[in-house]
Amino acid sequence: MSTTNDTLANARIAVLGYGSQGRAHALNLKDSGLDVVVGVRKGGPSWNRAYTDGFAVAEPAEAVRGADLVAVLTPDMVQPAVYKEAIEPNIKPGAALLFAHGFNVHFKQIEPRKDIDVILVAPKGPGALVRSEYERGRGVPCIWAVHQDASGQAEAKTKAYADGIGGGRAMIIKTDFKEETETDLFGEQAVLCGGASSLVQAGFETLIEAGYQPEIAYYEVFHELKLIVDLFYEGGIAKMLEFISETAQYGDYVSGPRVIDASVKARMKDVLKDIQDGTFARNWTAEYQAGLPNYKKYKQADLDHPIEAVGAKLRARMTWLHPTTAAPAESLKKAG
């Protein structure tokens, strides 16, 4: 165990939630030699999986009692109820309450007791990567923050936790709850999820409306995006430019700014403003409390978009995506 983890060497860590991040955190902490109990509802699949993985498992309230650090890794919109019902009445003074995303604390959906530490460790990768990199002896970079230091040891606990899940092997970057929350939401909405999905849908529609085959359109504006993103990920824009043709480079230079122009950036600023002033958080909280009517409608619209049907048909023949499944026998027919 590293020196950093001396801070938590004799601590009991309760991990609430056993989804993608919860499972990865819990397993990495356990393999780092730390004492972990998993807090989930009894009888569900998460309970059984955590038990099978070798953890002590308890109902959330029971897991919190006596814990020195409580990691809240349940979905954002569930966390306020979990805090009120399981954490607030049971967390001991001087213990640490840890989040992997600052949404509920920053937007005051949760107002933690003043006698506990409130900290954040957010790995910059999905749970599967957090786990697989740890198993390889490496780690995923983490950002960390201290919102409230009641014990005088909040920073040490935060760094020890980041080290325990493997972040110390890679890089840990200091932030605060405001910066982590607002940049995370903006990235998801404007670029990574909302921006990217809307961009490929618009590109697909443009080619279809011009009379091109759906299969060709899919490959050109959706499938090949992974190749470009992989180059970004590995070596930035410089590597992408190195591996594409001069023709593609020239098209990048003259047409990219025509599509993503100053008006797009202005609308991105509007998105950021809604995040910063709490409009998005209020709308999302109200939507959740109303039973997600618009969320369900928007999601179904994405699932019903023609690019999904075309993509499913094409991906079924991409045997490298399904190594244990034989490719369908029938051939694809040309459209039109």
Side-chain angles (χ1 to χ4, degrees):
M1 189 183 302
S2 71
T3 308
T4 308
N5 265 327
D6 289 347
T7 303
L8 297 177
N10 300 311
R12 191 89 197 279
I13 299 174
V15 173
L16 305 187
Y18 205 66
S20 174
Q21 287 288 344
R23 183 170 187 263
H25 287 221
L27 287 169
N28 291 4
L29 292 166
K30 180 163 73 83
D31 288 350
S32 292
L34 300 175
D35 180 19
V36 179
V37 57
V38 172
V40 290
R41 297 296 179 190
K42 190 170 185 177
S46 292
W47 179 287
N48 296 331
R49 191 177 194 192
Y51 181 81
T52 301
D53 285 341
F55 288 102
V57 190
E59 290 275 357
E62 184 60 31
V64 170
R65 292 188 193 104
D68 300 286
L69 187 150
V70 177
V72 186
L73 300 175
T74 55
D76 287 337
M77 304 315 289
V78 174
Q79 289 179 11
V82 171
Y83 177 76
K84 183 177 181 181
E85 296 165 11
I87 300 173
E88 187 174 38
N90 297 300
I91 191 169
K92 66 184 182 182
L97 181 62
L98 180 142
F99 296 88
H101 180 38
F103 183 95
N104 283 300
V105 172
H106 178 58
F107 291 116
K108 302 188 186 308
Q109 301 300 306
I110 293 174
E111 298 196 40
R113 282 181 8 207
K114 298 301 182 184
D115 61 348
I116 58 174
D117 298 334
V118 182
I119 60 180
L120 177 143
V121 174
K124 302 317 292 177
L129 186 67
V130 173
R131 180 58 180 161
S132 63
E133 285 298 283
Y134 183 96
E135 291 179 307
R136 293 185 178 102
R138 303 185 302 220
V140 170
C142 294
I143 60 178
W144 66 274
V146 173
H147 177 75
Q148 186 169 286
D149 184 2
S151 71
Q153 294 294 313
E155 180 173 329
K157 293 175 187 178
T158 310
K159 291 180 177 178
Y161 186 96
D163 188 56
I165 63 171
R169 299 171 176 176
M171 177 190 303
I172 60 171
I173 304 171
K174 186 177 183 179
T175 184
D176 56 45
F177 275 57
K178 179 180 187 295
E179 182 176 61
E180 185 279 331
T181 301
E182 293 176 356
T183 57
D184 185 81
L185 292 174
F186 176 80
E188 291 168 351
Q189 294 174 30
V191 180
L192 304 177
C193 304
S197 59
S198 293
L199 183 66
V200 297
Q201 287 173 344
F204 180 83
E205 292 165 6
T206 299
L207 289 177
I208 298 305
E209 290 162 9
Y212 299 105
Q213 295 178 61
E215 292 84 2
I216 302 298
Y218 176 86
Y219 276 117
E220 294 303 333
V221 304
F222 199 166
H223 177 83
E224 292 189 19
L225 182 62
K226 180 186 185 304
L227 308 178
I228 299 302
V229 171
D230 283 349
L231 293 171
F232 284 159
Y233 185 80
E234 294 165 9
I237 292 175
K239 184 164 185 177
M240 184 272 287
L241 294 174
E242 179 185 351
F243 281 84
I244 64 174
S245 69
E246 287 84 354
T247 303
Q249 288 183 43
Y250 182 69
D252 173 326
Y253 303 144
V254 300
S255 298
R258 294 174 64 190
V259 176
I260 308 300
D261 62 8
S263 68
V264 174
K265 189 173 178 181
R267 289 191 293 276
M268 284 184 168
K269 289 184 176 181
D270 289 340
V271 169
L272 181 58
K273 181 177 179 294
D274 281 352
I275 292 168
Q276 292 172 324
D277 67 16
T279 299
F280 171 78
R282 288 190 294 274
N283 290 346
W284 173 219
T285 300
E287 175 72 13
Y288 182 80
Q289 292 173 345
L292 303 173
N294 294 303
Y295 170 95
K296 292 173 183 174
K297 179 180 68 176
Y298 299 147
K299 183 173 184 177
Q300 194 59 49
D302 266 358
L303 296 176
D304 290 341
H305 193 281
I307 201 170
E308 286 300 288
V310 174
K313 183 179 175 184
L314 294 173
R315 289 190 299 272
R317 298 190 60 83
M318 298 179 192
T319 54
W320 60 92
L321 297 179
H322 315 282
T324 60
T325 305
E330 68 276 7
S331 62
L332 291 172
K333 293 181 180 179
K334 268 191 168 185

